[in-house]
Each structure stands twice: as structure tokens, then as C-alpha cells.
Amino acid sequence: MKWLRLTLVFLISAFPASGVLSNDAGFPGRNVNVIGPPPAGSGAIADTGLRQQNEPSCAVNPTNPVQICCGFNDYRGIDVPEMGDAWEGISCSLDAGNSWESQLIPGHGADPAYDLGLEFAADPNLVAVPGGLFFNYIAADRGHVGGIYVQRYAWRNKEDGWPLIQVGGPVLISKGTNGRFIDKPHMIGFIDDEATTTVPMTWSGGERNLPVGNLGMAAAVFVGNDNNDGTKILYWSSDDWGQTWDQPTKLTESKGVNSGINLAANGDNVCAVWRRFDDTNEVSSILFACSTDRGKRFGKPKVLFENMCPFDQTTLNGVAPAPKDIVSFRSNAFPVIAGDGEKFYVFWSDRGFAAASGLDRKSTRLNSSHQIISYAVF
């Protein structure tokens, strides 16, 4: 199959306070290619081969909303002899998404200052706070030895040039080993609105005072020599905006495969949702666990929806029974969660549904297929 280049569509007008979108309340703008040239004078690697990019995660500068940055898996490194594999790219706009510049984040094999000695990076997610931007991702070699990292940036409030100041190199959150592969992280941020102090973030030649707050990050950790031996979901916290991280808290009790973690917060309350895959002892289900203290302690995990019929597709790569000339992409059904300040909303896809006792659960069909987008409220 051919890969499409990464584009975004921006909603120009604001939504009304009621949350109901009328026909004249907003309209989508034109599609814009976010993979632009490298920042002028940066010496960054250009995407001359027009390679693919996927799995974007974007954030807006809270104090200057015309500044937008997106992270993504970036395959331009395939054309670079020192790399030869995918890494993480970042694109930024200074004009509300109308034009973009892009480059790779630090840590790749062609980076003279912060080469991690790892082959690839994946699974980006971005968090923006006043003064800072944080880029969370995994990096490893093809033997799965690597770890999970965060790259820290300070916002540069200028009308021209690159809007980010790189704050050092990649910060290791947790190290992977042979048989301990860390996968699919998700990160969120909290700010103390009533704090009277600040948290300094320093780099060579500069310093930025950020609001008091913290970062929370969760990921799946494969614990066996075979990725199917089982996983555990862990949650890490940082009180200094990613410079150091606490020892993780384990969310899962199952010994099966748990993955696809997603986080959301309402104030200090943070909830995590994930997918538990079926095996000989358990059925495919959506699970969740919640904390009332920003992830310092979590309650026991609970089943949100049991015995789902997931819409999954495995990677074939010409392996029997697939014909040799057929290569498919992998697609698994993972949940996402959002908060509105009071309630949490969880969404996932499956092929059917049954009544769920005590759960406000609804569904919407997609076109004429059997796939369903389901959601729960709690």
C-alpha cells in the first residue's frame, strides 16, 4: 500500500459555549502538509526522499495559540546512512497551521550530540504547558532493547524562526532490556493554578520558570522473552517537568497481554483505560483504573466492558496463509478517554455489543459495516 503524507485540518471558528455546533459556528480549513522544510540555518535533516510519516500527536502553546507543534513517526532517516530506520519527527507552525517547518528530534544515529545508539523511535505524544513542551516516545533497536524517553523544549515566543528551544537531550524514563520491551506510552500534564512558586527549567545559556505542576506517563511493559508472555501497565510521575521521574506504580493485576493505555484527568483525578487481550484464561475487555492524587496511587483495575468483539488486523507480511505478495498493516482496537471537568468518556471500536449492567453505554454505527464505535460514561 502507499503511505499518505501527514496533513491536518484545522477548525477556524470557535465552538459556542453551549458545546452545540451550529452550521455557521465553524468550518474546516484547507488541508495543509505539516511536513515542511527544516528551520533555516539549523542544518537539520530534510525530508528529501518524501518519506512517510504517521501516528501524529499535536499540542498548542497555551500562551500563544498560533504556535502549534506536532510529533510523529518519521521515516526520513531511512535515507541517512548513519540511521537507516525511522525516528521521531517534529513540525511546528507560527501561523496557526498555515505553514510548517520540520526536523527530527534529538537522539538518532546522525545526531552528533545526543546519539542514543538505538535503531528506531516510535509512539509519540506531546504535552504543552505555559513555557514548555514535552515530547514522549519509545526508542529501541530491533531486538527490543531500548527504553522510554522524553525530550524537553521551551517555547520561544517569536514571530519568526523555530518556536522551540531544545532543553538538553533525551531524558530516560525507564530502560528496556532483552525481553522487557516498553510500548505505547501516553503522557498528560497537570498545573497547580493556585501555586505561588515556579519550577525552573534550565539549558545552556538560558532558563525558563514554568508553573508548578507535574507530568504523568503510562506505558505497557512486555515482561517475557516473547511479547505474548504477558504485560503490565505502569504509571510514572515527574514533579520537575520531566527532568526526573518517580518509581512507577503498577496498574494491572492480570498476567495476560494489556496494552493501548490512554490517560485523562479531571482536576487531580486521573483515569487510565486500556485493552486486555483474550487468551486461554481471559476474554478481550476494556479495563480502567483511577487515582485521586494525580497518579501517586491508583485504585484496583475494573472491567469497563467485557467480552468485546474487537476490530483487529494482524501483520501478515506474506506469511501463510497469506499469499507471498500480500503485506498488510497491523491494526488493533485500543480505547481512548477524555474528561470534561466532571465525567470521563471512553471510546473504543468493536463489532457488536451487549447490555452492560450499571453502565451508561451507547453506540453509533459506522456506515453500513459491522464495526461500531462504542462509548461509556462514568
Side-chain angles (χ1 to χ4, degrees):
M1 63 178 292
K2 293 184 178 180
W3 293 86
L4 299 179
R5 293 188 52 80
L6 188 60
T7 61
L8 294 177
V9 178
F10 291 97
L11 191 65
I12 304 301
S13 298
F15 288 99
S18 65
V20 178
L21 181 63
S22 62
N23 290 334
D24 59 354
F27 58 91
R30 62 186 178 89
N31 289 351
V32 178
N33 184 2
V34 308
I35 312 302
S42 66
I45 298 169
D47 185 20
T48 55
L50 301 181
R51 292 292 184 172
Q52 63 264 39
Q53 291 84 21
N54 56 26
E55 298 184 0
S57 173
C58 301
V60 178
N61 184 348
T63 59
N64 188 356
V66 299
Q67 293 185 340
I68 307 168
C69 289
C70 295
F72 39 83
N73 299 337
D74 196 324
Y75 294 78
R76 72 181 72 184
I78 292 175
D79 299 321
V80 180
E82 297 90 340
M83 297 178 61
D85 212 328
W87 199 254
E88 294 301 279
I90 185 168
S91 287
C92 292
S93 171
L94 294 173
D95 54 11
N98 288 294
S99 62
W100 297 78
E101 294 178 329
S102 68
Q103 59 181 307
L104 298 176
I105 69 169
H108 55 78
D111 180 0
Y114 297 106
D115 181 6
L116 295 174
L118 300 173
E119 295 180 30
F120 75 95
D123 297 346
N125 53 102
L126 275 63
V127 170
V129 301
L133 177 72
F134 308 97
F135 192 130
N136 175 222
Y137 64 100
I138 66 168
D141 60 32
R142 292 299 175 181
H144 289 175
V145 177
I148 188 164
Y149 297 84
V150 63
Q151 177 61 52
R152 308 198 307 156
Y153 295 96
W155 289 105
R156 177 187 283 123
N157 288 318
K158 295 180 61 178
E159 294 182 356
D160 59 354
W162 187 246
L164 300 177
I165 302 170
Q166 180 181 318
V167 180
V171 175
L172 177 65
I173 300 174
S174 184
K175 183 176 177 57
T177 61
N178 188 13
R180 185 179 184 272
F181 180 58
I182 306 175
D183 196 24
K184 292 197 173 298
H186 190 230
M187 187 170 68
I188 57 175
F190 304 87
I191 293 178
D192 295 334
D193 293 330
E194 299 180 357
T196 58
T197 58
T198 58
V199 177
M201 183 167 65
T202 61
W203 61 91
S204 178
E207 180 177 288
R208 177 71 50 79
N209 288 322
L210 303 186
V212 175
N214 64 358
L215 294 172
M217 192 277 300
V221 180
F222 292 88
V223 296
N225 291 326
D226 186 320
N227 284 350
N228 294 320
D229 284 351
T231 58
K232 53 186 177 182
I233 300 293
L234 299 181
Y235 183 95
W236 292 260
S237 293
S238 171
D239 294 326
D240 55 10
W241 295 117
Q243 182 60 47
T244 60
W245 293 80
D246 296 338
Q247 289 297 311
T249 298
K250 187 173 76 167
L251 274 62
T252 49
E253 296 179 340
S254 166
K255 295 182 179 180
V257 176
N258 297 267
S259 190
I261 187 76
N262 201 252
L263 303 168
N266 288 325
D268 291 338
N269 299 321
V270 56
C271 285
V273 295
W274 64 90
R275 161 89 178 276
R276 183 182 69 194
F277 287 76
D278 62 308
D279 56 24
T280 56
N281 299 312
E282 298 172 322
V283 295
S284 287
S285 302
I286 303 298
L287 280 77
F288 74 101
C290 294
S291 166
T292 59
D293 56 6
R294 299 187 179 183
K296 300 296 183 182
R297 295 176 300 274
F298 275 87
K300 289 186 177 182
K302 299 178 181 179
V303 174
L304 184 65
F305 187 74
E306 191 170 39
N307 202 20
M308 62 183 292
C309 184
F311 187 79
D312 290 342
Q313 179 170 312
T314 59
T315 304
L316 297 177
N317 291 331
V319 177
K324 292 182 178 180
D325 59 345
I326 292 181
V327 178
S328 74
F329 61 88
R330 180 184 64 186
S331 175
N332 288 319
F334 292 127
V336 295
I337 185 171
D340 66 0
E342 295 181 358
K343 294 182 179 179
F344 289 100
Y345 301 80
V346 183
F347 301 81
W348 69 94
S349 63
D350 56 29
R351 289 179 178 270
F353 65 94
S357 176
L359 184 65
D360 179 11
R361 184 173 187 274
K362 304 177 182 180
S363 63
T364 302
R365 290 192 177 275
L366 293 180
N367 300 323
S368 59
S369 72
H370 295 293
Q371 186 181 5
I372 297 172
I373 296 297
S374 304
Y375 74 89
V377 184
F378 60 90

